[in-house]
Amino acid sequence: MRPGVGFRFSLREFRGSVGRVLVWVLCLSVGVGAVVSVAGLASSVDGAIRGEARKLLAADLAFRSRAPIPERVLEAVDSVPGAARAEVRELAAMVGRTQVPEADEERPSSLLVELKAISGGYPFYGDLVARPPLPAGMSPAEVLGDHSALVSPEALSRLGLEVGDELRVGRRTLRIAGSLEAEPDRLPTGFAFGPRVIVGVAAQEAAGIFPFAGFGGYRVLVRLPGERSLEELELQAEAFRDEIENSAAVRVETYADAQPGIREDLERLSRYLGLVALLSLLVGGVGVAQGIRAWLTGRLDALAVLKCLGARPRDLLRTYLVQSVLLGLVAGVIGGAVGLVSMLLVPAILGGALPVEAVSIWQPWAFLRGVALGIGVSTAFSAPALLVVLRAPPVRVFRRGAEPLPGSWLASALSLIAVAAGVAGSAALQAGSLWLALRFLGAVGVAVAALILAALVLRSLARWLAPRCRSFWLRYGVAALARPESGTLAASVALGMGLMVLLAMFVVQGHLHDELAAGLPEDAPSAFLLNVPQTGWDELAELLEREGARRVQSAPVVMARFVTIDGVPVAERATEGNRWALRRQLRLTYLDALPSDNVILEAAGPAALEEPWVDPGALEVSVEEDFAETIGVGVGSTIVLDVGNRRATVRVTSLRRVDWEGFGINFFLVVEPAAVDWAPQTRLAAAWMPGEREQEIQDAVYRAYPGVAVVRIREVLQKVVDLVGDLQVGVRVLGSFTVAAALLTLAGAVAAGSLRRGREAALLKTIGSTRFDVLRAFAAEYALIGLSAAVVAAFLGLSAAWWLVTRELELTWSFRPVAVFGALSAGSLLALATGLLASAGALRKPPIDSLRDGS
C-alpha cells in the first residue's frame, strides 16, 4: 500500500467515525490545554520580567545586602568614570495621622507599612508613577527631599488621608505629595507586610527609622555611562565582585538577574504544576488507547477483507499509526489554542496575585510543546491498541466467529516500551529534571498499579456478586462489569487518577490553610515589636502592660556573619544546600538562660575539647539542631564571627530543639553575654494583646515611640491565608483538568461500545424490560465503576497527602471525612452522569432492532 493511499484511507476511516474521533480529540485536548496553559503562563511572566529587566532593576547594576552597603563598595562604584549611583532602603515601619478628628475615631491612627527610602537618581530606568504626576526634570528623590512622601491608595484609604495632608513617619511629619500608582522595580505579586510609602533617605534618617536587624534591605543602584551590552555589564559586575570579595553579604546583580526570587519561585512552581498538567494528558492518552482498541476490535471484519484484498499487516499498521499521529496533531492544535486563550483567565482566578499585563497569549514555544506532547502521547498510548490490526484473521471473511490470531510477545513488549518511553520523555520534558521525572514516573506507576489491581478485584467481585443480586436490573448492571471488553479497567484507572490528584491537593491545601487560619496558640505572643531601642525598653514594657498587654518579653539582637567554622573559611564550606545559612547576615542574641521552650539535646563534655581546632578559652554558643546540621557543626565546634567589624570566637557547647510554632522569640544562635554585648544592637520584643484592643495598643505605642514597628501576627497570618487561598483556587482548577480528562475517557469507553449497548438495550426491551429498567442497569454499572475508582483514589490520595503534610510541611495530620466522602460521592455521581449521557443513544434503540439483527 503506497503512503498516499494509506493517508487517504486514514482520512476515510475518520470520516466514518466522527463521533468517536471527537471524543478522542477532547480526551487529549484537555490535557494539552493544561500543559500549554502552565508552560505559557510561566514563559509569559518570565518573558515579561526579562523584557522589562532594566526597568525591574531600575539600573544597570545593583548591590544588595541586608546590612548597610560597606564604604569600600561605594568607593569601588565611584571609581568608575561617569557612573551614577542611587540608594534604596526598604523596611517595615509605622506611619500615622498627625491629628485624629473626633468624627473619625474609628479609623486607625497608625498603620504598619513597607517604607521605601530613595536617594540619587532613582529610578535610572522606568518611571515612578504618582497621581498627580511628579514634576518633570527632577528625580523623585529631589522632589520628595526630606519633607514629602508618596503614599499608596490603600494606605490613604485606611488612614482616611488625601494628597496634601500630613503624614507622620517616625519623628518626622511629611506632606503627602501624591498617591503612589506604580514602581518600576516592584511587581504586584507575593507577600507584603503592608501598603507602600516612599520617602527620601534624608527623611527616613531624620525620622529615626532604620531597617531592623536584617528585616530590611539595602540596595545601591548603578547606571554606567553609554550603552553597555549585557556582556560588558557582566564583566563589570565580575570586576566589582573581585574587589568586594570579602563582603560576602553583598550581592552584585546585572539587570539580567532582575527579580531573581520571583523567577526562581516561578520556575519551581511551573515545574510541579507542569507535571500535574501532564497527568491530565496521560489520562487522556489512556482514553485514546481504550477507544482505539475498542474501535479496531469492532472492525475485525473490515480488516480481514483488506488483508484478503492484498493489504499487508504492516501497511494496515502504518495506516492506523498515521491516524494516531493525526489525532494527536489535531488535539494538540485545539488544546494548545484553548490553553493559550485560557491564560487570560488566570489573573481573575488568582484573585489579582498576578497582574493582567504580565500575561501574553503569544507563546509559540509553549504551543509547540503542547502539540509535540499531544502527538507523542497519542502515538505512544495507541501502540498497544494497534496490535489488534496484526491479529485480525483473514478467514473472518468466510467465518465471522473466527478467533483473532495469537499475539506476538515481542510486539507486545515493544508496544509497552513505546508507552513507557513516551511517558518518560514527556515527564522529563515537563520537569526539566531527570530525577524529578523519575520520581513522577514512580508515583504514577504505583498509582496505576493500584488502580489496575482494584479494577481486577472489582471484576472478580462482580462475577461472584452478580448471581446473588435479587433485583434484575442490579444483577445485570453488576454482571456487566465482569464481561470482556467492558472498559472497566481503563475507565477506573483514568477516573481514579483524576480523583486522586484532586483529593490530595484538596487535603494538603486544607491542612496548610487550617494551620495558618487557626491563629495563634493560647500562650503565643500576638505581636512583635521591631526597632525597639536598647535604652528605652523598660519604659516601653511598662507602657504595654499599662495598656493591657501581657506576657511581655524581649531579647537583644546583634547582626553577625560567619568567618570560619572549625578553622575552615565559610567560602570553602559553602554548598548549594548551606550557602543561604553561611553567607547570610545572621541575627543572634545573648542571654543568661535559654527560653523555656528550648530543649537541650546534647551538651559539651570532656571529649568535646580534644579536637585540635577547639579554643578552650572561647565563649559559649548554643545552636539550634537543624541549623547546626545545615552549617555542619556539632558540640565542640569553634565558630569565628564578624560582629561590627570585630571578630568574636565562640565554641558550640550545646545543641537544642526550638518550638518555632509557639511564635516565641527564638534564634538559631544564642551566645553568652560577654561574647557580643559590646556590639551595636537593638531589641526584638513580643507581647500578647487582647484581640479587641490590638489597634488601640498599637496606636499608643506609635504615639510614644514612633520609630518602633508593631507587627500584628494575626494580620500577617491573614495575608498569608489570603495568598494561599488565591493559589488554592488556581491549583484546584488545574487538578480539575485531570478529572475532566478522566470523564471524557469514560465517555469514550461507553461510546466505543455504543453499538453493543444499543443491541443490549433493544434485546432487554424485547424480553419485557422497561426503559427505566435498562436505565437502572446501566446506572448500576457506571456508579460502581466510579465508586471503585474513588475508593482506591481516596486511599492513594490520602497516602500522598499524609506524606506531604507530615514529612514535607511538618504539620499535624488530621483525617478529613468530608473530603473523602466528597471524593466517593463525586466519583460515583460523575461516572453515573457521564455514562448515562454517553448511553443516551443506546437507550433510545427500539426493540425491533434486536429482531432485525441477524447475528
Side-chain angles (χ1 to χ4, degrees):
M1 185 183 295
R2 290 177 298 175
V5 175
F7 182 75
R8 290 198 300 272
F9 182 74
S10 298
L11 293 180
R12 290 194 183 102
E13 288 279 281
F14 277 153
R15 186 177 59 189
S17 308
V18 175
R20 293 189 179 94
V21 171
L22 180 61
V23 173
W24 300 338
V25 167
L26 290 176
C27 284
L28 289 176
S29 295
V30 169
V32 171
V35 168
V36 171
S37 182
V38 171
L41 184 64
S43 177
S44 179
V45 175
D46 188 64
I49 293 174
R50 293 180 184 275
E52 300 292 329
R54 262 195 170 98
K55 294 180 181 179
L56 289 172
L57 191 65
D60 293 320
L61 300 174
F63 299 81
R64 294 180 185 268
S65 178
R66 291 291 183 182
I69 306 295
E71 281 296 326
R72 60 180 176 272
V73 174
L74 303 181
E75 292 171 0
V77 173
D78 293 338
S79 67
V80 178
R85 62 178 169 93
E87 187 176 0
V88 177
R89 302 172 182 175
E90 295 175 299
L91 59 150
M94 302 298 296
V95 300
R97 295 181 287 177
T98 56
Q99 296 180 353
V100 182
E102 294 183 3
D104 202 19
E105 290 183 350
E106 293 184 0
R107 288 184 183 273
S109 61
S110 63
L111 180 67
L112 180 69
V113 301
E114 288 193 341
L115 190 69
K116 181 175 186 177
I118 59 176
S119 70
Y122 169 89
F124 292 121
Y125 300 99
D127 297 310
L128 191 64
V129 182
R131 186 175 300 172
L134 299 176
M138 299 175 65
S139 70
E142 292 174 327
V143 174
L144 297 177
D146 63 351
H147 53 76
S148 298
L150 295 176
V151 184
S152 69
E154 180 187 353
L156 292 175
S157 174
R158 292 176 64 178
L159 290 172
L161 297 175
E162 298 178 353
V163 174
D165 291 343
E166 291 184 335
L167 179 74
R168 188 184 182 197
V169 180
R171 298 191 298 263
R172 192 78 171 172
T173 298
L174 305 177
R175 185 183 66 87
I176 301 175
S179 172
L180 178 63
E181 302 296 324
E183 304 166 63
D185 53 344
R186 189 188 193 201
L187 290 175
T189 59
F191 173 80
F193 276 108
R196 181 74 103 182
V197 173
I198 296 182
V199 300
V201 166
Q204 173 244 321
E205 292 180 343
I209 298 175
F210 293 89
F212 167 75
F215 282 106
Y218 292 82
R219 277 187 291 154
V220 169
L221 306 180
V222 180
R223 184 183 63 188
L224 298 176
E227 291 293 331
R228 304 288 184 102
S229 66
L230 181 57
E231 291 74 16
E232 292 174 318
L233 292 178
E234 290 287 0
L235 291 174
Q236 183 63 68
E238 193 60 37
F240 281 136
R241 293 186 187 105
D242 293 338
E243 289 188 46
I244 62 172
E245 185 176 359
N246 293 330
S247 300
V250 179
R251 176 176 178 175
V252 186
E253 302 174 347
T254 68
Y255 70 80
D257 304 315
Q259 303 292 341
I262 293 178
R263 287 162 63 180
E264 290 172 5
D265 292 343
L266 177 66
E267 181 181 356
R268 191 179 302 112
L269 183 63
S270 64
R271 184 182 299 130
Y272 284 95
L273 292 184
L275 290 176
V276 175
L278 177 62
L279 197 58
S280 305
L281 185 56
L282 298 182
V283 168
V286 172
V288 170
Q290 174 187 257
I292 289 180
R293 181 179 181 84
W295 182 39
L296 293 179
T297 301
R299 292 190 56 78
L300 287 177
D301 294 341
L303 293 172
V305 171
L306 289 173
K307 286 185 176 181
C308 289
L309 294 176
R312 294 170 296 181
R314 66 172 179 235
D315 293 329
L316 295 176
L317 187 62
R318 184 172 58 199
T319 296
Y320 288 101
L321 187 61
V322 169
Q323 288 186 350
S324 299
V325 173
L326 290 175
L327 185 68
L329 176 62
V330 174
V333 171
I334 295 175
V338 172
L340 292 179
V341 174
S342 67
M343 288 166 50
L344 297 176
L345 302 176
V346 172
I349 292 174
L350 295 183
L354 188 69
V356 177
E357 57 271 16
V359 177
S360 171
I361 65 173
W362 174 244
Q363 301 297 330
W365 287 114
F367 180 81
L368 291 176
R369 173 190 286 191
V371 173
L373 286 174
I375 294 174
V377 169
S378 175
T379 305
F381 277 74
S382 299
L386 294 179
L387 296 181
V388 174
V389 174
L390 303 178
R391 300 179 59 198
V395 74
R396 283 182 70 97
V397 172
F398 305 103
R399 182 163 52 88
R400 295 188 62 189
E403 294 295 326
L405 299 173
S408 167
W409 68 268
L410 179 60
S412 300
L414 290 176
S415 67
L416 293 177
I417 291 174
V419 173
V423 174
S426 302
L429 178 63
Q430 282 293 88
S433 165
L434 181 60
W435 171 238
L436 185 57
L438 291 176
R439 291 171 61 189
F440 173 77
L441 291 176
V444 170
V446 170
V448 169
L451 289 165
I452 289 177
L453 179 62
L456 295 176
V457 170
L458 178 62
R459 281 186 176 182
S460 300
L461 183 63
R463 293 191 188 97
W464 177 85
L465 187 61
R468 293 166 174 78
C469 295
R470 295 184 179 182
S471 172
F472 159 74
W473 60 269
L474 183 59
R475 181 169 61 252
Y476 183 87
V478 172
L481 296 174
R483 64 188 169 198
E485 303 299 334
S486 65
T488 305
L489 186 62
S492 296
V493 170
L495 187 57
M497 291 292 287
L499 291 173
M500 178 194 71
V501 171
L502 206 57
L503 178 63
M505 288 180 179
F506 186 88
V507 172
V508 171
Q509 292 165 3
H511 276 83
L512 185 59
H513 183 277
D514 290 351
E515 182 74 15
L516 295 171
L520 306 172
E522 288 187 9
D523 58 345
S526 58
F528 285 103
L529 287 78
L530 314 181
N531 292 328
V532 177
Q534 182 75 350
T535 57
W537 165 242
D538 293 337
E539 294 80 1
L540 178 55
E542 291 179 6
L543 170 64
L544 289 169
E545 293 177 352
R546 189 166 60 249
E547 292 291 332
R550 297 192 311 232
R551 295 194 288 274
V552 180
Q553 56 181 305
S554 76
V557 182
V558 176
M559 298 303 297
R561 187 165 56 84
F562 291 115
V563 179
T564 65
I565 296 178
D566 293 334
V568 181
V570 292
E572 299 178 16
R573 299 176 66 101
T575 65
E576 287 296 327
N578 66 17
R579 183 172 287 108
W580 68 270
L582 293 176
R583 306 298 292 270
R584 66 183 288 176
Q585 282 285 322
L586 185 69
R587 289 182 291 272
L588 56 84
T589 192
Y590 59 88
L591 299 172
D592 293 321
L594 292 175
S596 60
D597 58 354
N598 285 217
V599 178
I600 298 295
L601 302 177
E602 183 181 354
L609 300 176
E610 297 177 0
E611 299 294 347
W613 61 73
V614 173
D615 180 359
L619 299 172
E620 297 184 8
V621 60
S622 178
V623 186
E624 192 269 340
E625 57 172 337
D626 293 332
F627 191 74
E629 181 179 356
T630 300
I631 63 176
V633 301
V635 172
S637 294
T638 297
I639 301 174
V640 177
L641 299 169
D642 183 346
V643 184
N645 295 323
R646 288 176 54 180
R647 299 293 172 88
T649 302
V650 292
R651 179 169 59 88
V652 179
T653 56
S654 67
L655 302 180
R656 71 191 196 284
R657 179 181 297 125
V658 174
D659 179 19
W660 298 107
E661 295 181 2
F663 287 91
I665 299 179
N666 282 298
F667 298 81
F668 289 134
L669 270 64
V670 177
V671 302
E672 61 175 299
V676 294
D677 58 0
W678 46 266
Q681 57 194 267
T682 182
R683 295 192 77 85
L684 171 63
W688 183 89
M689 303 178 182
E692 68 278 1
R693 298 205 66 238
E694 281 188 356
Q695 184 63 52
E696 295 179 31
I697 297 176
Q698 173 183 299
D699 292 342
V701 171
Y702 178 69
R703 286 191 295 269
Y705 299 90
V708 174
V710 180
V711 180
R712 291 150 62 180
I713 301 176
R714 291 187 182 91
E715 286 190 356
V716 173
L717 289 178
Q718 187 57 50
K719 290 178 183 291
V720 177
V721 168
D722 293 342
L723 183 61
V724 170
D726 290 338
L727 294 176
Q728 280 181 356
V729 175
V731 173
R732 288 174 185 171
V733 168
L734 187 62
S736 66
F737 275 85
T738 309
V739 176
L743 294 176
L744 287 169
T745 297
L746 176 60
V750 175
S754 58
L755 181 61
R756 173 180 53 78
R757 290 184 181 275
R759 290 172 178 170
E760 291 175 359
L763 180 60
L764 290 173
K765 293 174 185 177
T766 302
I767 61 177
S769 298
T770 65
R771 177 175 294 188
F772 183 63
D773 291 332
V774 178
L775 182 67
R776 288 190 294 177
F778 285 179
E781 178 184 358
Y782 303 141
L784 287 174
I785 290 176
L787 182 61
S788 64
V791 169
V792 180
F795 174 76
L796 294 175
L798 288 176
S799 300
W802 175 85
W803 173 267
L804 290 172
V805 168
T806 59
R807 301 301 175 88
E808 298 295 332
L809 299 178
E810 298 183 354
L811 301 178
T812 303
W813 171 260
S814 61
F815 180 67
R816 307 209 166 220
V818 174
V820 175
F821 177 76
L824 298 178
S825 302
S828 302
L829 296 177
L830 290 175
L832 175 62
T834 303
L836 291 180
L837 286 174
S839 302
L843 291 171
R844 289 194 297 267
K845 286 285 185 180
I848 192 65
D849 284 1
S850 65
L851 301 177
R852 291 174 176 169
D853 188 3
S855 61

